[in-house]
């Protein structure tokens, strides 16, 4: 069992993580249950907050003591200004954000029920991500790791490629995307898939088999799959085995952004040089603690909270073979 002291911040300056991708103004409504058909549903709580996969991951990095930067795009509109201000006030460096004339900022309406499940209706303007700046080794050289999502594939590809050339960890949040997007982002050194994306890409549902199939597809990368309450799976490159770590048991209030918090915690742990099992434990606990709080990314835990959670969590990792 790894002691919680192993997860304390390393000496020296906070590690720097660059996150690339989605920046969205979300309107969250809390409801007793998700609708089953047409009609009217009355929420009993609501929150408006700037988030999105890369944005929420960046917030997790900041909450956990890292130095987080975000490259994303917003429209040159009032919503875009609010998104940038909200994220900047949350401790994220937004100086690399792009304001796009003629495009509307991304928005999303989200229902969260009393079991923590959600219904998401996102809108991304097609013109938001048309402009793609060049990304050089010098642009990423000051970062200790980069993390990209699938919402801005062309910029993600350039960022991953530059990071690999610079010898930096190049991490992909492998969520559900249009056909060919994840394959296009193959330069990633680490891919952490969501379960729906992994099953879709592998054409299988049994997660041990899925991990094996994805590892054969992306041989150059560390490959893992997050499966919510069923924990996480990853391919052990040294032994050829597939490892499984059960998820911490919590009462889920809001699962929105839990995967993003996992990715942000994962990226920071990789940047800090944690071994992979400790990295997966760290990210799993961060995501689980987030699920106990309504409010999307606002539930991201602090480093102290994650370390406290890990002190009492002694679930062993198991290993198996892909048959």
């Amino acid at each position: 069992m790894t002691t919680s002291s192993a997860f304390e911040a390393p000496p020296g300056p906070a590690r720097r993580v660059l996150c690339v991708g989605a920046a969205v103004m979300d309107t969250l409504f809390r409801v007793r249950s998700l609708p089953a058909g047409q009609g009217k549903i009355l929420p009993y709580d609501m929150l408006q907050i700037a988030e999105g996969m890369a944005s929420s991951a960046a917030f997790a990095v900041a909450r956990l003591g890292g130095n987080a930067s975000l490259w994303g795009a917003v429209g040159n509109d009032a919503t875009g200004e609010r998104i940038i201000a909200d994220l900047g006030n949350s401790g994220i460096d937004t100086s690399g954000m792009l304001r796009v004339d003629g495009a509307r900022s991304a928005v999303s309406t989200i229902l969260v029920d009393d079991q923590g499940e959600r219904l998401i209706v996102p809108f991304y303007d097609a013109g938001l991500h048309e402009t793609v700046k060049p990304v050089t080794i010098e642009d990423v050289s000051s970062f200790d790791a980069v993390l990209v999502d699938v919402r801005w594939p062309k910029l993600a590809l350039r960022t991953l490629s530059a990071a690999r050339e610079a010898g930096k960890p190049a991490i992909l949040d492998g969520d559900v995307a249009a056909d060919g997007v994840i394959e296009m982002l193959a330069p990633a050194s680490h891919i952490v898939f969501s379960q729906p994306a992994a099953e879709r890409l592998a054409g299988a549902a049994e997660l041990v088999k899925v991990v094996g199939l994805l590892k054969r597809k992306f041989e150059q990368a560390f490959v893992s799959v997050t499966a919510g309450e069923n924990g996480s799976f990853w391919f052990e490159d040294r032994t050829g085995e597939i490892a499984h770590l059960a998820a911490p048991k919590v009462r889920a209030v809001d699962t929105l952004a839990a995967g993003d918090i996992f990715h942000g915690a994962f990226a920071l742990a990789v940047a800090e040089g944690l071994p992979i099992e400790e990295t997966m434990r760290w990210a799993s606990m961060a995501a689980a603690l987030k699920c106990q709080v309504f409010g999307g990314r606002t539930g991201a835990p602090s480093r102290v909270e994650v370390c406290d959670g890990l002190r009492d969590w002694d679930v062993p990792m198991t290993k198996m073979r892909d048959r």
Side-chain angles (χ1 to χ4, degrees), residues 138-255:
E138 289 71 27
D139 292 326
V140 299
S141 61
S142 64
F143 297 103
D144 298 295
V146 304
L147 167 67
V148 307
D149 69 29
V150 295
R151 291 292 175 259
W152 198 349
K154 292 180 180 178
L155 182 60
L157 176 59
R158 292 185 181 184
T159 305
L160 290 174
S161 298
R164 291 300 297 267
E165 288 185 52
K168 307 288 185 178
I171 305 161
L172 170 62
D173 176 348
D175 203 358
V176 175
D179 290 346
V181 167
I182 291 179
E183 291 90 338
M184 183 179 83
L185 301 177
S189 61
H190 300 69
I191 308 177
V192 182
F193 291 96
S194 68
Q195 183 176 353
E199 292 176 350
R200 176 180 173 184
L201 198 58
E206 202 283 305
L207 286 173
V208 173
K209 182 179 181 180
V210 166
V211 173
L213 288 169
L214 292 176
K215 179 61 184 180
R216 289 190 282 277
K217 190 176 184 71
F218 301 97
E219 293 181 352
Q220 84 293 344
F222 165 81
V223 170
S224 64
V225 176
T226 61
E229 63 183 10
N230 294 317
S232 55
F233 299 77
W234 67 95
F235 190 89
E236 286 275 2
D237 291 300
R238 185 178 59 84
T239 64
E241 295 173 306
I242 293 169
H244 174 243
L245 183 66
K249 294 187 181 302
V250 297
R251 180 184 177 276
V253 170
D254 176 10
T255 60

